[in-house]
Coordinates of all heavy atoms in Angstrom, one line a residue:
Chain B
S241 N 81.6 103.7 77.7 CA 82.3 102.7 76.9 C 81.3 101.7 76.3 O 80.8 101.9 75.2 CB 83.4 102.0 77.7 OG 84.4 102.9 78.2
R242 N 80.9 100.7 77.1 CA 80.0 99.7 76.6 C 78.7 100.3 76.2 O 78.0 99.9 75.2 CB 79.8 98.6 77.6 CG 81.0 97.7 77.7 CD 81.0 96.7 78.8 NE 81.4 97.4 80.1 CZ 81.5 96.8 81.3 NH1 81.2 95.5 81.4 NH2 81.9 97.5 82.3
A243 N 78.2 101.4 76.9 CA 76.9 102.0 76.6 C 76.9 102.5 75.2 O 75.8 102.6 74.6 CB 76.7 103.1 77.6
L244 N 78.0 102.9 74.6 CA 78.1 103.3 73.2 C 78.5 102.2 72.3 O 77.8 101.9 71.3 CB 79.1 104.5 73.0 CG 78.8 105.8 73.7 CD1 79.9 106.8 73.4 CD2 77.4 106.3 73.3
L245 N 79.6 101.5 72.6 CA 80.2 100.6 71.6 C 79.4 99.3 71.5 O 79.5 98.6 70.4 CB 81.6 100.3 72.0 CG 82.6 101.5 71.9 CD1 84.0 101.0 71.8 CD2 82.3 102.4 70.8
D246 N 78.6 98.9 72.5 CA 77.7 97.8 72.3 C 76.7 98.0 71.2 O 76.1 97.0 70.7 CB 77.0 97.4 73.6 CG 77.9 96.6 74.6 OD1 79.0 96.3 74.2 OD2 77.5 96.4 75.7
A247 N 76.5 99.2 70.8 CA 75.5 99.5 69.7 C 76.2 99.2 68.3 O 75.5 99.1 67.3 CB 75.1 101.0 69.8
G248 N 77.5 99.1 68.3 CA 78.2 98.9 67.0 C 78.1 97.5 66.5 O 77.5 96.7 67.1
P249 N 78.7 97.2 65.4 CA 79.6 98.1 64.6 C 78.9 99.0 63.6 O 79.6 99.9 63.0 CB 80.5 97.1 63.8 CG 79.7 95.9 63.6 CD 78.8 95.8 64.8
D250 N 77.6 99.0 63.5 CA 76.9 99.8 62.5 C 77.1 101.3 62.9 O 76.7 101.7 64.0 CB 75.4 99.5 62.5 CG 74.7 100.4 61.6 OD1 75.1 100.5 60.4 OD2 73.7 101.0 62.0
P251 N 77.7 102.1 62.0 CA 77.9 103.5 62.3 C 76.7 104.3 62.7 O 76.7 105.1 63.6 CB 78.6 104.1 61.0 CG 79.1 102.9 60.3 CD 78.2 101.8 60.6
A252 N 75.6 104.0 62.0 CA 74.4 104.8 62.3 C 73.9 104.4 63.7 O 73.4 105.3 64.5 CB 73.3 104.4 61.3
A253 N 74.0 103.1 64.1 CA 73.6 102.7 65.5 C 74.5 103.3 66.5 O 74.0 103.7 67.6 CB 73.6 101.2 65.5
L254 N 75.8 103.4 66.2 CA 76.7 104.1 67.2 C 76.4 105.5 67.3 O 76.3 106.1 68.4 CB 78.2 104.0 66.6 CG 78.9 102.6 66.8 CD1 80.1 102.5 66.0 CD2 79.2 102.4 68.3
Q255 N 76.1 106.2 66.2 CA 75.7 107.6 66.3 C 74.4 107.8 67.0 O 74.2 108.8 67.8 CB 75.6 108.2 64.9 CG 77.0 108.4 64.3 CD 77.0 108.5 62.8 OE1 76.0 108.5 62.1 NE2 78.2 108.5 62.2
A256 N 73.4 106.9 66.9 CA 72.2 107.0 67.6 C 72.4 106.8 69.1 O 71.8 107.5 69.9 CB 71.2 105.9 67.0
A257 N 73.3 105.9 69.5 CA 73.6 105.7 70.9 C 74.2 106.9 71.5 O 73.9 107.3 72.6 CB 74.5 104.5 71.1
A258 N 75.1 107.6 70.7 CA 75.8 108.8 71.2 C 74.7 109.9 71.3 O 74.8 110.7 72.2 CB 76.9 109.2 70.3
A259 N 73.8 110.0 70.3 CA 72.8 111.0 70.4 C 71.9 110.9 71.6 O 71.5 111.8 72.2 CB 72.0 111.0 69.1
A260 N 71.5 109.6 71.9 CA 70.7 109.4 73.0 C 71.4 109.7 74.3 O 70.8 110.3 75.2 CB 70.2 107.9 73.1
A261 N 72.7 109.4 74.4 CA 73.4 109.7 75.6 C 73.6 111.2 75.7 O 73.5 111.8 76.8 CB 74.8 109.1 75.6
A262 N 73.8 111.9 74.6 CA 74.0 113.4 74.7 C 72.7 114.0 75.1 O 72.7 115.0 75.9 CB 74.4 113.9 73.3
Q263 N 71.6 113.5 74.7 CA 70.3 114.0 75.1 C 70.1 113.8 76.6 O 69.6 114.7 77.4 CB 69.1 113.3 74.4 CG 67.8 114.0 74.6 CD 66.7 113.4 73.7 OE1 66.9 112.4 72.9 NE2 65.5 114.0 73.7
A264 N 70.4 112.7 77.1 CA 70.3 112.4 78.6 C 71.2 113.4 79.4 O 70.8 113.9 80.4 CB 70.7 111.0 78.9
A265 N 72.4 113.6 78.8 CA 73.4 114.5 79.5 C 72.8 115.9 79.5 O 72.9 116.6 80.5 CB 74.7 114.4 78.8
R266 N 72.3 116.3 78.3 CA 71.7 117.7 78.2 C 70.6 117.9 79.2 O 70.4 118.9 79.8 CB 71.2 118.0 76.8 CG 72.2 118.7 75.9 CD 71.6 119.3 74.6 NE 70.8 118.3 73.9 CZ 71.3 117.5 73.0 NH1 72.6 117.5 72.7 NH2 70.6 116.6 72.3
A267 N 69.7 116.9 79.3 CA 68.6 117.0 80.3 C 69.1 117.2 81.7 O 68.5 118.0 82.4 CB 67.7 115.7 80.2
V268 N 70.1 116.5 82.1 CA 70.6 116.6 83.4 C 71.2 118.0 83.6 O 71.0 118.7 84.6 CB 71.7 115.6 83.7 CG1 72.5 115.9 85.0 CG2 71.1 114.2 83.9

Side-chain angles (χ1 to χ4, degrees):
Chain B
S241 296
R242 285 169 281 185
L244 294 182
L245 295 199
D246 279 355
D250 177 52
L254 283 165
Q255 286 157 6
Q263 190 173 5
R266 265 196 306 275
V268 167

